[in-house]
Amino acid sequence: MELILKQDVANLGFKDDVVTVKNGYGRNYLIPHGYAVLATSSAKKVLAETLKQRAYKEQNVVKEANKAAEALKALELKITAKTGEGDKLFGSISNANIAEALATEGQEIEKKFITIAGGLVKRLGKYNASVRLHRDVIVDLPFEVTAEAK
């Protein structure tokens, strides 16, 4: 079943992508929740025209995302956390913690656009996270988890 996505769907595609999914997933989840519409020939023509008009506007958005990417690359992000014995953390560091740390540095990024390589961080050390600023602009963000002063 071919569908046109009306918004970004995790692990499937971005807004205005034409995707092929199984019938049940499309009929029972994507279409009723308003995430997609059927990709009929007329809908594809309308989509093509919309994408053509949006391409010019998109260039400015990509330029802004690239500027933000350069600002992120210049950051040295350090997150402090409470630790126990053997450099283990009490709790863990997640994408929400990274979003908070970036907010204190002046970079407002939603936590859903931040992905930590390897999942949650549970020990002190240096790690990497990827930040998706735009569908074409993904930044690799190194950060360090340090112990809180006792």
Side-chain angles (χ1 to χ4, degrees):
M1 163 180 273
E2 274 195 330
L3 298 175
I4 298 173
L5 296 178
K6 292 170 70 177
Q7 58 185 331
D8 293 354
V9 178
N11 300 324
L12 184 59
F14 298 103
K15 181 179 178 182
D16 293 331
D17 282 351
V18 177
V19 296
T20 303
V21 296
K22 292 189 176 182
N23 292 342
Y25 184 51
R27 278 197 208 107
N28 298 328
Y29 181 72
L30 294 173
I31 293 172
H33 285 94
Y35 297 145
V37 293
L38 282 173
T40 60
S41 60
S42 62
K44 286 181 183 179
K45 288 177 185 175
V46 170
L47 175 66
E49 185 61 33
T50 304
L51 290 177
K52 195 182 302 180
Q53 291 174 0
R54 191 180 306 150
Y56 176 74
K57 296 175 188 175
E58 191 81 13
Q59 292 174 348
N60 295 332
V61 174
V62 170
K63 286 179 187 175
E64 292 297 319
N66 283 327
K67 286 180 187 176
E70 292 301 319
L72 280 178
K73 287 178 183 176
L75 285 179
E76 289 186 23
L77 194 62
K78 291 191 178 193
I79 300 173
T80 58
K82 292 183 180 180
T83 58
E85 300 212 7
D87 293 340
K88 285 187 178 180
L89 300 179
F90 288 122
S92 60
I93 302 295
S94 67
N95 55 351
N97 300 100
I98 295 173
E100 287 176 22
L102 287 172
T104 60
E105 295 286 338
Q107 300 287 333
E108 293 291 329
I109 297 175
E110 289 186 49
K111 66 181 182 178
K112 68 181 180 180
F113 298 127
I114 300 171
T115 307
I116 299 174
L120 298 175
V121 175
K122 297 186 180 191
R123 292 188 169 274
L124 297 179
K126 294 185 179 187
Y127 298 93
N128 282 323
S130 62
V131 180
R132 182 170 59 94
L133 300 170
H134 184 266
R135 70 188 332 179
D136 299 328
V137 181
I138 299 174
V139 179
D140 202 30
L141 177 70
F143 65 97
E144 184 175 2
V145 180
T146 58
E148 207 173 68
K150 293 184 180 181

